[in-house]
Amino acid sequence: MSEQTFEQMLNESFKTIHTGEVVEGTVIDVKPDEIILNIGYKSDGVLTKSEYSNDNSIDLTTAVKVGDTMDVKVLKTNDADGQVILSYKRLALDRGNKRIEEAFNNKEVLTAKVVQVLEGGLTVVVDEVRIFIPASLVSDSYEKDLSKYQDQEIQFVVTEYNPKRRRYIGNRRMLVTAEKAEAAKKLFDTIQAGDIVDGVVKNVTDFGAFIDLGGADGLLHISEMSWGRVESPKKAFKIGDTVKVLVKSIDGSKIALSRKFDNENPWKDATEKYAVGNIVKGKVARMTDFGAFVELEPGIDALLHVSQIAKEHVEKPSDVLKVGQEVEAKIVDFNEADKKISLSIKAMFAPEKEEEAPAEDEGDVVSVDIDKVIAEQSEENE
């Protein structure tokens, strides 16, 4: 029997490893892009950054330290430099596939960080498995800009699992929908007409604002935004504003809101303040051909008819008045039931005394039947 060489004896002292085998290694050196592990083989194993994780931004020196142990998968036992090439990512991927399969079968809710925002959706990573969430499945409403989700942890369920095609699809929308449905039920179980609640402006249109009440949206119509006049909801509110609103009515899933609070009702003390005969001041709010509407205070407008604007004849209000002009006038009519007030500038002027006709002798006063006289004149002319 021939004597073994030193090299043969050395090789026999190390274990044998094979491609695809899972081995345990101990970290003996760490660089930002590379980890060196002692795997009990004649050559040390090399674990590159790309085979450690799918996260390209990772710094290996912060991920592991010398002395750490980890299981790795052997990719090649002897590369061009005689090194053993290892992979941690692929081993994690194998485990991840099983993890995703279990979550898919059990409809488990998973939580993961968004690692990439694409035009068509989001990418998250669970145990090195990349899962795609299409834009249509991110939320219960269309979101044009998904950038806010970058690096955020989100919850979802796996709705498609196809490891052969490496196709893993996640769905966040169904969780959002279910959560909102539960919140809506809770909201409708607790609120009722007459309640005053806090909400957040979700959207503003030309006719009103939609307020998120924490489970359902309510409509705050432009006519209910204030006791006063609101020209444009978009000037009065902006998305994200927190507002206090009154639940005016609930009809099925529709909630009508108001900001006309009873304690702020300007008509509450109007009977005395705007009694007939009172002199008041206000600003011209708008004009029509038949008159001008004067705002006495937010929520109370009075009509100044064209015939009451001046002593002399006025063809149309815009000939003598303009919007925003302050006027002083007398209250000539107050209708509390219909919430209508009529004004007159003309009534503020004292009536001119008519010249007295010269007295005539009683004997000169003759009673004349005008109709008879006209009839007689007609007969004479025939």
Side-chain angles (χ1 to χ4, degrees):
M1 188 175 181
S2 60
E3 294 183 0
Q4 289 181 311
T5 64
F6 175 75
E7 184 177 356
Q8 289 173 327
M9 293 176 61
L10 185 62
N11 288 338
E12 288 179 358
S13 66
F14 294 104
K15 64 182 179 182
T16 303
I17 61 174
H18 303 282
T19 301
E21 184 179 350
V22 176
V23 297
E24 184 182 71
T26 301
V27 177
I28 58 176
D29 190 19
V30 185
K31 300 174 183 177
D33 296 320
E34 186 179 80
I35 301 172
I36 307 299
L37 297 102
N38 178 1
I39 56 174
Y41 188 60
K42 62 182 179 181
S43 299
D44 291 328
V46 178
L47 177 59
T48 62
K49 179 179 178 178
S50 62
E51 287 297 334
Y52 178 81
S53 172
N54 281 320
D55 186 355
N56 294 327
S57 65
I58 195 168
D59 180 353
L60 295 181
T61 59
T62 62
V64 299
K65 63 182 183 296
V66 173
D68 286 349
T69 59
M70 64 175 69
D71 289 338
V72 289
K73 190 172 187 177
V74 177
L75 298 184
K76 189 179 292 187
T77 58
N78 189 4
D79 69 356
D81 298 322
Q83 296 176 316
V84 178
I85 306 302
L86 306 172
S87 176
Y88 177 78
K89 177 181 73 175
R90 300 190 195 193
L91 181 59
L93 183 61
D94 292 341
R95 293 172 177 168
N97 271 322
K98 293 180 181 179
R99 175 78 178 89
I100 301 304
E101 182 179 13
E102 290 175 357
F104 171 72
N105 292 331
N106 299 328
K107 296 181 174 56
E108 180 184 350
V109 176
L110 298 175
T111 302
K113 186 174 78 171
V114 175
V115 297
Q116 189 176 19
V117 176
L118 304 169
E119 185 176 346
L122 309 175
T123 299
V124 297
V125 175
V126 177
D127 292 341
E128 297 302 324
V129 177
R130 300 177 75 87
I131 300 172
F132 181 63
I133 304 176
S136 61
L137 300 181
V138 171
S139 184
D140 62 334
S141 59
Y142 174 71
E143 293 190 69
K144 185 177 180 180
D145 185 10
L146 298 176
S147 60
K148 68 178 182 180
Y149 292 103
Q150 180 67 50
D151 296 325
Q152 298 298 312
E153 283 200 340
I154 62 173
Q155 290 188 315
F156 59 95
V157 291
V158 179
T159 52
E160 188 172 341
Y161 173 75
N162 191 333
K164 290 183 179 180
R165 295 180 57 192
R166 294 186 181 179
R167 182 180 173 87
Y168 310 94
I169 303 298
N171 187 324
R172 179 176 179 269
R173 184 180 66 188
M174 62 188 301
L175 297 182
V176 174
T177 302
E179 184 179 348
K180 286 189 175 181
E182 184 178 347
K185 183 181 182 304
K186 182 178 179 181
L187 177 70
F188 282 107
D189 286 343
T190 55
I191 67 166
Q192 57 186 354
D195 288 349
I196 295 177
V197 296
D198 291 324
V200 178
V201 178
K202 186 176 180 180
N203 191 25
V204 184
T205 68
D206 291 334
F207 61 84
F210 289 93
I211 312 298
D212 182 357
L213 303 177
D217 295 343
L219 174 61
L220 177 62
H221 193 270
I222 183 173
S223 62
E224 293 292 333
M225 287 184 170
S226 171
W227 284 109
R229 187 173 52 260
V230 175
E231 297 292 343
S232 170
K234 293 181 180 179
K235 292 181 179 180
F237 298 96
K238 63 179 184 292
I239 295 175
D241 283 348
T242 298
V243 294
K244 192 174 293 294
V245 289
L246 167 71
V247 179
K248 187 179 179 183
S249 65
I250 301 175
D251 182 10
S253 61
K254 295 180 180 179
I255 305 175
L257 304 174
S258 176
R259 280 178 59 80
K260 290 183 176 180
F261 303 110
D262 287 339
N263 63 330
E264 298 174 359
N265 187 348
W267 287 92
K268 186 172 56 176
D269 304 318
T271 305
E272 295 181 6
K273 191 186 296 185
Y274 302 115
V276 172
N278 287 359
I279 305 297
V280 294
K281 290 182 179 180
K283 288 186 178 181
V284 177
R286 60 192 187 280
M287 287 186 283
T288 67
D289 291 339
F290 60 83
F293 287 92
V294 178
E295 184 182 60
L296 302 181
E297 63 177 283
I300 297 185
D301 287 353
L303 173 63
L304 177 61
H305 193 270
V306 64
S307 64
Q308 300 300 313
I309 291 178
K311 291 190 299 181
E312 61 276 4
H313 174 72
V314 175
E315 186 68 29
K316 53 185 179 179
S318 57
D319 290 339
V320 293
L321 299 174
K322 60 182 179 180
V323 174
Q325 178 180 342
E326 187 176 271
V327 296
E328 187 175 54
K330 179 181 284 188
I331 305 287
V332 294
D333 187 48
F334 178 86
N335 187 329
E336 184 177 12
D338 295 335
K339 292 183 170 54
K340 290 182 179 179
I341 299 175
S342 296
L343 303 176
S344 175
I345 295 176
K346 185 178 179 180
M348 294 177 63
F349 298 96
E352 296 179 356
K353 292 183 179 179
E354 297 182 1
E355 293 183 4
E356 296 181 359
E360 297 181 357
D361 292 339
E362 289 184 4
D364 294 332
V365 176
V366 180
S367 177
V368 179
D369 187 337
I370 296 177
D371 291 336
K372 183 178 180 181
V373 171
I374 293 175
E376 289 174 351
Q377 287 178 345
S378 297
E379 290 177 358
E380 292 176 0
N381 292 333
E382 289 181 352

